[in-house]
Amino acid sequence: MIFKTFFQLFTLTLFFCSFGFKSYALLKIDVSGAKSDPLPIALSTFSGKTEQTRLFGKELTEIIEKDLTSSGLFRSLDKASFIEILDSVNQKPTFENWMILKAQALLYGEITELPETEKVSVSFRLFDVFAQKQIEGAVFSTRKNNLRRIAHLIADKVYERITGEKGYFDTRIVYVAETGPQKNRIKRLALMDRDGANLRYLTNGNYLVLTPRFSPNSYQITYLSFFRGIPRIYLYDLTTGEKKVVGDFPGMTFSPRFSPDGQSLLMSLSRKGNTEIYLYDLTTKTKERLTRHPAIDTSPCFSPDGTKIVFNSDRGGSQQLYIMNKDGSHVKRLTFGKENYATPVWSPRGDYIAFTKIKSGKFYIGLIRPNGSAERLIANGFLVEGPSFSPNGRKLLFYRSSPFDDDGDESSSSSKIYSIDITGYNEQLIATETDASDPTWSALLPSASAR
Amino acid sequence: MNLSFLYSLLLHFSFLFLLGIQFMLFNSPLEKEQKKTPSFIVVDLKKVKITKETALPAPTPIKKKKAQKTTQKEEKKNVVLPPKKPKLTPKKPPQKKVEKPIPSSKEAVKIVQKNIPAPKIKPRKIIQKELKKRAEIQKKKEQKQTELELSSLLASVEEIKTSAQKDKKEQAEFQENIKALSSPLIEQEIGISEKEKIALMLRECWNLDAGVQDIENMRIEILVFLDKQGNVLQAKINDTARYSSDKTFKSVAESAERAVYICNKKGEDSPFKILAQKYGATYSQWRKILFTFNPMDGGVF
């Protein structure tokens, strides 16, 4: 009897289970595609207990706002529409008040003066409004005169937490500042923060300078200078202000660029009408020839992992891009268009190579995958040149020169720096005091960076 | 869905197979022979000598009373039904009942947990009715079987045949009922057009940075739990391993998770309300939904 009852129960259980599989099957829905609008973010002005800290808070919030909105990925909500006032960093926000404004992220913070020091403490919290959770929070303490930097650091934190990629706001740009008439142009090295603040000139303009490039740690700059009419590569140490010639070569050296480890320089050396690519070790002061071809090989740039080098060469009959191993072996052509390609630069995240393309008398800035696929052009102009990636590989700097007007008036021509997202959107003018060319982006600044 | 169908089919067949075995085993002549013998054997306790060697605990006075009562009853029964097989070793059901250990509270909880009824679905109610009917039929069968004991063998064979035919008919009816009950479930499945509508609405809520690295390899699975009104109770990112190791994936996954919450906050325009409005009766089907967010298939616009 017991066996029979058990058997019946078992059979019945099985029977109901057979229905269970049908009725409880997991419902699956595929969502394909998304929109790509700037993320609405509420930036509540950083609070403070004193009049001075409140002023600091206002300034700090404005810098963060400019940083984030300039990326094209964030839209700052109008502060006048805010329902809730957050007076302290420890105040918990009422999320419903921010959901009404359709804010997807909320940033607020507080500045407090540290007693008996010249320092201040800046704390902030970042919330995902709809998920109703804090997703980032940090405290910085710094000197009062370093608040701009703290603002950039906070903006980087927000950017990284929302996009998943490192920010690029706490960086600098070195470029060639141009003044004077076209025939007697004065070109100086200029250094500024990414947002144009803290501009300073590194050279006095007595000698022409070109193609400045940052070292990976952002402490040094290598560039080309025509000292006494001879083009040579120089190193500028930002911590000491010292300048020195790189090597002593029996020819013209140009197109310098650091290796990813900062221990050596790639450069072009022109001798007896032939230009080849060399690797110069900054420690041992020895050079290694990487290309051996009667054609012009120039503009070398390392891949971020340091295993490959992209360069341009006219060995195929026209100026094209090529990739080779770091020792010069296995040279492979990357581009096959009828147009000319120049100034290649490898993205720090490794997924793209940016270049300048010359097509039917017009210049373009373009991107191509390292395998030669997915070429696309993202900017154009009478003269656009010199692409340089942001440290996170999301943005490109380049310069654009306009032609003289019909009367040949020199003052009508200008050269300006622009930034553009690699998607081809959000082109922005980077404001400079003078005309500017050859911009290069630094890596994220080290915490104890020299000013 | 195909896999679920296969499971269902397999289990249905297993059920039928076991049902067949059951009828073969428990309705066999051998079983009937067994049924002829009473389910318990009455033993005159006066004839049984209880020695010290049995080592049974001494019964409590109350138990004694119970035992006395049972013996009195048994004595009465003895008059009507004398023991057929007195040689068999006697069993003492009342004493056994006393000795049975009381289940611990944990075990009791376990049993309760197992017996939690499944969410009430109309078809199942009908099934339960059918089962009740079957139980009644079983009882009737048993009664019939006892009656059969008194009838001749020929008559019993004939009756067995008729009962077997009835069983077959009942079984066929039961199977038909099952088919009839299972068909509404299929009909009430969430339609493709509704799924597409929900997907499109979620796409509107999903804001993604088009320049994210490796975007072509991003597929985000979000498990969404809904209440009966179509409100999001929880949204969970499935791939927790990649979520904690890959910052870019984390960002994209969070944007998809955010899309669920943003859509949920649209009130009556929420895509999840469609389910509550149209498929309220089959909540079990959509109380948990697996959304796969794929930015590249539809493009980032």
Side-chain angles (χ1 to χ4, degrees):
Chain A
M1 279 297 285
I2 294 165
F3 179 65
K4 187 187 172 184
T5 315
F6 173 76
F7 198 89
Q8 283 173 337
L9 278 169
F10 178 72
T11 313
L12 277 171
T13 313
L14 202 67
F15 169 73
F16 283 115
C17 281
S18 65
F19 281 100
F21 268 104
K22 186 68 192 168
S23 57
Y24 289 107
L26 183 62
L27 179 62
K28 293 177 181 176
I29 297 176
D30 290 340
V31 181
S32 301
K35 62 178 180 178
S36 189
D37 292 337
L39 185 120
I41 185 168
L43 298 165
S44 183
T45 305
F46 278 46
S47 59
K49 296 278 187 290
T50 64
E51 189 62 33
Q52 194 186 22
T53 51
R54 277 194 287 274
L55 279 171
F56 282 152
K58 196 183 172 195
E59 187 189 351
L60 192 99
T61 313
E62 281 171 3
I63 296 166
I64 294 169
E65 189 172 9
K66 276 182 188 171
D67 280 352
L68 292 175
T69 52
S70 71
S71 71
L73 302 179
F74 296 88
R75 177 168 60 86
S76 176
L77 296 175
D78 185 3
K79 289 181 179 55
S81 66
F82 290 0
I83 299 163
E84 190 176 10
I85 295 162
L86 296 160
D87 288 328
S88 164
V89 75
N90 294 321
Q91 187 181 339
K92 196 183 173 188
T94 309
F95 293 109
E96 295 296 333
N97 291 337
W98 303 98
M99 283 179 196
I100 293 166
L101 304 174
K102 294 180 180 174
Q104 292 185 23
L106 165 67
L107 177 78
Y108 66 96
E110 189 176 355
I111 301 179
T112 47
E113 281 178 301
L114 297 173
E116 296 174 7
T117 60
E118 284 296 305
K119 289 184 176 179
V120 288
S121 162
V122 184
S123 46
F124 77 92
R125 289 180 198 275
L126 176 68
F127 283 88
D128 184 329
V129 173
F130 284 89
Q132 303 191 17
K133 61 180 180 184
Q134 181 179 316
I135 53 175
E136 187 65 80
V139 183
F140 296 97
S141 58
T142 184
R143 291 183 184 281
K144 287 173 186 172
N145 60 0
N146 221 8
L147 270 175
R148 286 192 70 83
R149 183 103 192 268
I150 294 297
H152 293 318
L153 286 169
I154 293 172
D156 278 336
K157 288 264 182 194
V158 173
Y159 183 97
E160 186 178 349
R161 190 60 190 82
I162 301 284
T163 66
E165 292 174 334
K166 288 269 182 194
Y168 57 87
F169 305 115
D170 188 32
T171 53
R172 290 178 187 165
I173 294 169
V174 64
Y175 65 96
V176 176
E178 298 183 17
T179 50
Q182 294 293 332
K183 286 177 183 172
N184 192 19
R185 201 73 161 160
I186 295 168
K187 294 192 175 186
R188 293 180 288 170
L189 276 187
L191 180 72
M192 65 178 187
D193 290 353
R194 187 211 58 85
D195 60 355
N198 296 316
L199 172 71
R200 62 176 164 140
Y201 295 99
L202 305 178
T203 57
N204 56 19
N206 289 339
Y207 304 101
L208 193 72
V209 289
L210 289 171
T211 62
R213 309 283 183 241
F214 271 109
S215 65
N217 62 11
S218 306
Y219 285 136
Q220 287 179 310
I221 294 166
T222 179
Y223 62 100
L224 175 70
S225 178
F226 285 76
F227 181 64
R228 291 176 185 166
I230 305 164
R232 286 190 188 279
I233 291 169
Y234 286 79
L235 269 181
Y236 187 99
D237 193 318
L238 286 169
T239 52
T240 60
E242 185 188 353
K243 284 179 279 186
K244 59 182 178 184
V245 182
V246 176
D248 185 17
F249 305 109
M252 188 172 73
T253 53
F254 52 95
S255 292
R257 203 180 286 270
F258 278 96
S259 61
D261 61 4
Q263 298 300 308
S264 46
L265 280 178
L266 276 174
M267 62 175 78
S268 300
L269 173 61
S270 183
R271 193 178 174 194
K272 295 177 182 172
N274 184 25
T275 305
E276 300 291 358
I277 293 167
Y278 285 79
L279 184 67
Y280 181 76
D281 192 310
L282 290 167
T283 315
T284 61
K285 304 196 187 302
T286 55
K287 66 178 191 296
E288 180 190 357
R289 185 172 171 177
L290 300 180
T291 57
R292 293 174 192 280
H293 201 279
I296 297 168
D297 300 323
T298 187
S299 304
C301 176
F302 267 110
S303 62
D305 62 1
T307 59
K308 306 268 182 191
I309 295 164
V310 63
F311 63 100
N312 77 53
S313 172
D314 60 357
R315 60 180 70 188
S318 63
Q319 202 175 346
Q320 299 291 329
L321 303 185
Y322 292 81
I323 289 177
M324 64 182 176
N325 288 342
K326 65 176 181 181
D327 58 359
S329 63
H330 292 96
V331 180
K332 193 181 166 188
R333 187 166 166 174
L334 183 69
T335 56
F336 293 88
K338 289 176 184 175
E339 304 81 14
N340 290 328
Y341 294 81
T343 63
V345 55
W346 216 307
S347 164
R349 65 185 197 187
D351 56 348
Y352 283 110
I353 290 167
F355 55 83
T356 306
K357 188 172 184 174
I358 304 105
K359 182 182 172 184
S360 309
K362 202 172 178 182
F363 283 70
Y364 299 86
I365 299 292
L367 292 163
I368 193 168
R369 294 279 187 193
N371 62 6
S373 68
E375 182 187 326
R376 57 197 168 91
L377 305 174
I378 58 171
N380 64 70
F382 168 72
L383 174 62
V384 287
E385 212 177 358
S388 171
F389 276 103
S390 62
N392 66 354
R394 263 312 289 269
K395 289 262 180 183
L396 274 172
L397 284 177
F398 65 95
Y399 74 94
R400 179 183 276 130
S401 296
S402 59
F404 302 149
D405 63 15
D406 293 340
D407 301 329
D409 180 13
E410 283 189 354
S411 61
S412 64
S413 172
S414 67
S415 182
K416 299 287 179 194
I417 299 173
Y418 293 83
S419 72
I420 191 165
D421 195 276
I422 58 164
T423 56
Y425 292 102
N426 195 34
E427 186 181 304
Q428 288 181 335
L429 173 72
I430 305 289
T432 48
E433 203 174 67
T434 63
D435 275 3
S437 62
D438 264 338
T440 302
W441 220 315
S442 78
L444 281 170
L445 296 179
S447 55
S449 173
R451 277 282 175 198
Chain B
M1 288 298 282
N2 288 334
L3 197 65
S4 303
F5 177 74
L6 281 173
Y7 277 131
S8 181
L9 202 68
L10 185 72
L11 287 164
H12 271 89
F13 274 114
S14 308
F15 166 70
L16 287 172
F17 177 70
L18 288 169
L19 206 66
I21 288 174
Q22 186 185 339
F23 276 106
M24 281 175 72
L25 278 174
F26 302 119
N27 290 331
S28 65
L30 182 69
E31 194 204 17
K32 278 166 191 168
E33 279 295 319
Q34 285 172 350
K35 277 179 183 174
K36 280 177 187 175
T37 57
S39 56
F40 58 91
I41 300 153
V42 182
V43 179
D44 190 352
L45 289 172
K46 286 174 185 175
K47 293 175 184 176
V48 178
K49 288 176 183 178
I50 301 167
T51 62
K52 286 177 184 177
E53 286 171 9
T54 54
L56 285 169
T60 56
I62 303 159
K63 284 168 192 170
K64 269 184 182 175
K65 279 180 184 176
K66 278 184 182 175
Q68 280 172 0
K69 280 180 185 177
T70 50
T71 48
Q72 280 170 3
K73 281 179 186 176
E74 282 162 0
E75 278 173 1
K76 282 176 189 174
K77 281 178 185 176
N78 279 343
V79 178
V80 183
L81 293 166
K84 284 180 181 178
K85 292 174 183 176
K87 284 178 184 176
L88 287 169
T89 48
K91 287 180 182 178
K92 294 170 185 176
Q95 283 181 347
K96 271 192 177 179
K97 275 180 186 173
V98 173
E99 279 187 333
K100 269 183 185 175
I102 300 158
S104 67
S105 58
K106 278 183 183 177
E107 283 169 345
V109 170
K110 271 184 187 174
I111 293 159
V112 171
Q113 280 177 340
K114 282 177 185 173
N115 290 335
I116 290 170
K120 286 178 182 176
I121 301 167
K122 282 181 183 177
R124 289 197 174 189
K125 275 185 179 177
I126 302 162
I127 292 165
Q128 280 174 348
K129 280 180 186 175
E130 277 298 319
L131 289 170
K132 277 181 183 176
K133 276 183 187 176
R134 278 190 64 81
E136 283 169 11
I137 292 161
Q138 281 290 103
K139 278 182 182 177
K140 281 177 187 175
K141 269 189 213 170
E142 282 172 6
Q143 283 174 357
K144 279 177 187 175
Q145 281 170 356
T146 50
E147 284 168 11
L148 278 170
E149 287 171 13
L150 304 168
S151 65
S152 67
L153 279 168
L154 287 169
S156 66
V157 169
E158 280 174 7
E159 278 187 20
I160 289 161
K161 281 180 181 176
T162 51
S163 66
Q165 282 171 351
K166 277 182 182 177
D167 280 353
K168 278 181 184 176
K169 280 181 182 177
E170 281 164 9
Q171 200 180 339
E173 280 173 10
F174 190 56
Q175 287 302 321
E176 279 174 9
N177 282 336
I178 291 165
K179 281 179 187 175
L181 299 174
S182 58
S183 59
L185 281 173
I186 297 161
E187 283 170 10
Q188 286 174 5
E189 227 175 55
I190 316 295
I192 295 166
S193 56
E194 264 76 28
K195 281 185 187 175
E196 280 181 354
K197 196 175 178 185
I198 292 165
L200 278 170
M201 288 167 88
L202 267 164
R203 178 184 155 138
E204 285 296 320
C205 296
W206 190 20
N207 195 11
L208 182 68
D209 170 17
V212 170
Q213 189 177 13
D214 206 22
I215 195 167
E216 56 272 16
N217 294 322
M218 295 284 179
R219 268 177 189 78
I220 317 294
E221 286 187 346
I222 306 274
L223 201 57
V224 177
F225 296 87
L226 301 168
D227 67 10
K228 284 183 178 177
Q229 285 72 45
N231 299 312
V232 174
L233 296 171
Q234 196 189 3
K236 278 172 74 177
I237 296 158
N238 239 4
D239 194 347
T240 48
R242 195 174 172 190
Y243 178 81
S244 49
S245 62
D246 183 344
K247 278 188 174 181
T248 315
F249 178 83
K250 186 179 182 177
S251 155
V252 178
E254 282 181 345
S255 72
E257 184 192 30
R258 205 178 295 128
V260 172
Y261 287 122
I262 289 169
C263 268
N264 182 48
K265 284 286 169 188
K266 287 190 169 180
E268 288 305 307
D269 295 329
S270 161
F272 310 113
K273 293 285 181 188
I274 294 170
L275 299 166
Q277 286 158 5
K278 288 194 174 180
Y279 302 97
T282 54
Y283 169 61
S284 59
Q285 281 191 50
W286 51 266
R287 69 183 182 88
K288 192 164 80 173
I289 309 172
L290 183 70
F291 286 99
T292 306
F293 289 80
N294 185 349
M296 289 312 284
D297 274 2
V300 183
F301 55 94

